[in-house]
Amino acid sequence: MFDRLQGNGPIKELLRHMLAHGRVPHALIFAGESGVGKKEFAIELAAALNCQERTPTGEACDRCPSCTRIMNWPTENQNENRIIWSMHPDVGLIRPPGRFILVEQARELAREANLNPYEGAARTFIIDEADKLNEAASNALLKTLEEMPHTSYIILVTERIAALLPTVLSRCQKLRFAPLSSEELAPLIQREKRVSAEEARTIARLARGSAGRALRMDWEEERARRERALAILEAALAEDRARLLRLAEEMSEAAHKEDLEPTLDWLTLLARDAWLFGAGADEQIINTDLRARLERIAARATASRLVRWIEKIDEIRRHLSVNINRRIASDALLLAMASG
Ligand SMILES: [Zn+2]
């Protein structure tokens, strides 16, 4: 059932409607940002089309042998140059093994889509990263997309719909997926990453509505960087120069070299959040799990001082791109922050 997937209520409604009326288009494009569940929706649709015990709304039961096999995909030892089959012999996918989807992959898919189902009701194929179909691979699919057999479906999944050829676009029905709201995303993050509800909402906002981005994020590492950035802001406000120089050293140390720019990003984000707290613009704040500490910073630093900090951080970021000494730059930045 679609409700096991996060967000995109209108798409769920539309797919239910299509399923209930037997009007699922045979060539579909699922377009939208990365990590909003496009492929999961495609697999759920493939399950619904083959389910042996569909729900009254026409959806997959998620439990019958057909559904369970369609939701079960091999995890390794796949020849990426061929169709990757689920445990169900009528549901498969192709994805680019390199920069592009190969013509042979497109040809194999076209051939298989023209066969009758082996055991289910609908042969269903997913083309992941369909924007990687180059002209030759696209052309190998055109005839099939135009004259799809009644028992076959192809779902093209893409983050970059504009990169598809007009000849492919015109043959498919397009469904556009929206980013998830932080409320929709937070329960999933909390479950997968074992963090508090407040932290899960912060991660959701940082990931800008993409479950994929949120789950890929190394939150332990980001949280450590954020903690260092927070310590810098607090030491700058206390004008604790000794502590600032220690933090600057830590920030520019060889071991933390890759940390410098992400730490600068965190400094900007936290200064911005403190500024928003001061301005009472709560709904735009990202790090709501740090409310108490950010409010203290907002209470002690004036709005204009926070803006000056953000400008100084931008400046050092520009200097870093011309390869200045990281240690000197970090010292200069942190001491400048302490003095106003
Ligand atoms: Zn089922």
Side-chain angles (χ1 to χ4, degrees):
M1 286 170 280
F2 291 112
D3 278 342
R4 76 181 175 85
L5 304 171
Q6 308 284 331
N8 278 293
I11 297 226
K12 289 174 184 168
E13 272 314 302
L14 181 62
L15 290 173
R16 280 187 198 113
H17 183 83
M18 288 171 166
L19 283 161
H21 294 82
R23 278 202 239 118
V24 178
H26 290 264
L28 280 159
I29 293 178
F30 285 5
E33 266 210 69
S34 111
V36 297
K38 301 181 297 295
K39 201 163 87 188
E40 289 74 14
F41 270 77
I43 291 172
E44 188 66 30
L45 178 59
L49 290 166
N50 285 292
C51 178
Q52 294 157 356
E53 294 165 45
R54 277 207 208 179
T55 69
T57 49
E59 295 174 74
C61 73
D62 298 345
R63 285 193 305 264
C64 71
S66 171
C67 282
T68 34
R69 281 187 294 147
I70 288 169
M71 288 167 194
N72 196 345
W73 293 76
T75 48
E76 52 192 33
N77 297 331
Q78 286 304 299
N79 181 347
E80 294 277 330
N81 296 343
R82 304 286 308 270
I83 291 179
I84 297 166
W85 293 95
S86 69
M87 294 301 158
H88 192 294
D90 290 314
V91 179
L93 76 77
I94 58 172
R95 62 177 164 232
R99 279 181 60 210
F100 294 108
I101 292 172
L102 308 173
V103 189
E104 300 79 74
Q105 288 177 290
R107 286 201 189 117
E108 186 191 5
L109 192 142
R111 210 162 45 238
E112 292 284 346
N114 281 307
L115 300 177
N116 289 325
Y118 283 113
E119 59 163 90
R123 281 178 79 73
T124 309
F125 299 93
I126 298 166
I127 304 181
D128 201 11
E129 298 185 56
D131 42 273
K132 306 268 171 65
L133 284 165
N134 60 15
E135 195 165 351
S138 297
N139 287 339
L141 283 173
L142 287 184
K143 197 169 176 318
T144 307
L145 287 174
E146 195 157 68
E147 299 164 13
M148 289 287 286
H150 293 306
T151 49
S152 291
Y153 297 82
I154 294 182
I155 306 165
L156 288 79
V157 171
T158 178
E159 290 167 39
R160 295 165 57 239
I161 189 167
L164 291 171
L165 288 188
T167 44
V168 171
L169 284 172
S170 66
R171 285 166 171 82
C172 301
Q173 179 92 33
K174 299 158 210 61
L175 266 57
R176 289 183 188 274
F177 284 67
L180 305 182
S181 72
S182 50
E183 282 68 34
E184 286 168 338
L185 204 46
L188 172 80
I189 296 171
Q190 202 182 348
R191 203 165 55 238
E192 295 290 323
K193 289 196 173 290
R194 299 167 190 283
V195 293
S196 71
E198 269 303 323
E199 265 181 289
R201 277 195 285 277
T202 293
I203 298 171
R205 281 188 290 268
L206 282 168
R208 300 190 306 281
S210 158
R213 246 194 315 262
L215 296 180
R216 279 194 303 273
M217 194 184 297
D218 183 344
W219 179 238
E220 301 256 320
E221 187 174 71
E222 289 302 334
R223 189 168 39 193
R225 286 173 175 154
R226 186 178 72 160
E227 191 52 42
R228 185 181 307 135
L230 207 54
I232 290 169
L233 294 185
E234 287 166 347
L237 279 174
E239 296 185 17
D240 183 345
R241 286 182 165 70
R243 180 156 166 70
L244 279 170
L245 287 174
R246 270 201 311 281
L247 286 162
E249 187 179 349
E250 223 180 87
M251 211 164 100
S252 58
E253 258 174 31
H256 295 292
K257 217 168 139 197
E258 280 72 45
D259 267 7
L260 182 54
E261 276 164 68
T263 305
L264 293 176
D265 293 342
W266 275 115
L267 276 174
T268 304
L269 200 55
L270 293 171
R272 168 192 169 277
D273 275 2
W275 185 87
L276 289 167
F277 264 121
D282 277 35
E283 68 287 349
Q284 294 174 54
I285 291 164
I286 292 191
N287 297 279
T288 46
D289 62 313
L290 294 177
R291 180 173 291 272
R293 288 171 78 183
L294 287 170
E295 268 171 348
R296 271 201 298 281
I297 291 173
R300 293 180 61 193
T302 59
S304 58
R305 187 169 187 193
L306 288 168
V307 171
R308 271 201 306 283
W309 282 356
I310 293 174
E311 287 166 358
K312 278 174 185 153
I313 301 162
D314 277 350
E315 203 179 314
I316 178 181
R317 204 183 272 115
R318 279 197 303 278
H319 288 163
L320 283 177
S321 63
V322 293
N323 216 2
I324 55 160
N325 183 311
R326 307 169 88 85
R327 179 65 206 276
I328 293 171
S330 309
D331 284 359
L333 170 70
L334 270 49
L335 292 177
M337 285 173 68
S339 50

